[in-house]
Amino acid sequence: MISADGKVAHEYEILWKRRAGSIKVEILGHPDYGVPHGQDTLIILYLAYEARRQGARKIKVNFYRDFMRVFEMNPNDGRKYRLVVESLRRIRNARFSWEIAGENRERGLHFLYIDEYDLYCDPKSPDQRSLFDQYVVLSERFWEEIRRHRIPSNLKAIIALKSKPAHL
C-alpha cells in the first residue's frame, strides 16, 4: 500500500477475536502498530512486576534500558531495542475487551494497560539520562488487578520462558 506522500505504508491486522460459547474476547490494535502478540506479553509482566515492586500505579523507570536488562537483552542492540519499542507501542495502544452474552443479560469490560507515559528512547545511548523523570502510569483497572491478584514474581522463570510466549 502506498500512502499519500508516496511512501510504502505497512498494513497491520487491527482486530483479533475469539469466541468460546457465550464468551467473546477481542483485542483492538492501533492501525499504525497492529495487535499485541507473542513476546509483547513480557511488557505486561514487566509493568506488573515493577508496579508491585514500587508499590505504585505510576512506575518511575528508564523503561527500555531496564526492560532489556531484566530480560537479558543487550540495550545497545539497535534491532532488539526497536522490537521492544514496537512491543510497547502495541500494548499501550490496544484495547482489550471481554463479553459474556446470555439469554437475558450481557456483561463486558474494556481494558487498557497504560493511561499515560513519558519515556526517553535513544538506542545509541541507552544509559543516557534524560532531563525529565521517565514514567508509565498504569490504568486504574490494571493497577487494581495487580493489587488484588498474584502476579508472576519469579523473574528467572519468566526469563526462561521468554522465547515461548504461549507458556507465559
Side-chain angles (χ1 to χ4, degrees):
M1 175 180 195
I2 305 294
S3 64
D5 62 0
K7 295 181 181 175
V8 175
H10 295 286
E11 289 188 32
Y12 293 102
E13 290 292 324
I14 62 165
L15 180 64
W16 177 94
K17 61 183 173 180
R18 294 291 182 267
R19 182 179 291 277
S22 63
I23 299 172
K24 179 171 76 170
V25 178
E26 289 185 352
I27 302 173
L28 180 62
H30 189 281
D32 292 339
Y33 311 119
V35 173
H37 59 274
Q39 290 187 341
D40 295 353
T41 306
L42 294 176
I43 301 282
I44 297 166
L45 291 170
Y46 179 72
L47 292 171
Y49 171 80
E50 276 299 319
R52 177 63 64 94
R53 189 180 71 76
Q54 294 183 26
R57 186 175 157 220
K58 183 176 184 177
I59 303 166
K60 295 179 182 173
V61 65
N62 181 334
F63 182 83
Y64 300 109
R65 181 201 65 200
D66 296 347
F67 174 87
M68 292 183 76
R69 287 191 176 149
V70 163
F71 290 103
E72 300 176 347
M73 298 177 204
N74 179 358
N76 293 310
D77 181 341
R79 188 183 69 79
K80 290 271 191 198
Y81 201 94
R82 189 179 74 254
L83 292 174
V84 173
V85 169
E86 291 169 2
S87 287
L88 182 60
R89 285 179 180 153
R90 284 190 292 272
I91 292 294
R92 74 177 183 231
N93 288 293
R95 183 184 80 177
F96 300 78
S97 300
W98 290 265
E99 293 181 16
I100 301 172
E103 196 164 311
N104 297 317
R105 180 179 181 197
E106 292 181 357
R107 293 182 60 213
L109 69 90
H110 301 293
F111 191 93
L112 300 172
Y113 285 99
I114 298 171
D115 278 347
E116 182 181 335
Y117 54 91
D118 192 350
L119 301 172
Y120 177 76
C121 166
D122 183 1
K124 293 179 183 170
S125 303
D127 290 317
Q128 174 72 34
R129 290 187 48 92
S130 66
L131 298 174
F132 49 87
D133 288 334
Q134 298 182 66
Y135 65 88
V136 175
V137 178
L138 303 181
S139 70
E140 187 67 38
R141 184 177 295 262
F142 186 35
W143 172 239
E144 286 303 315
E145 291 294 323
I146 292 167
R147 291 179 55 194
R148 281 192 298 217
H149 299 95
R150 294 182 56 119
I151 59 164
S153 59
N154 183 343
L155 284 177
K156 288 183 182 181
I158 294 170
I159 291 166
L161 294 173
K162 75 180 180 185
S163 63
K164 300 174 183 176
H167 293 137
L168 294 171

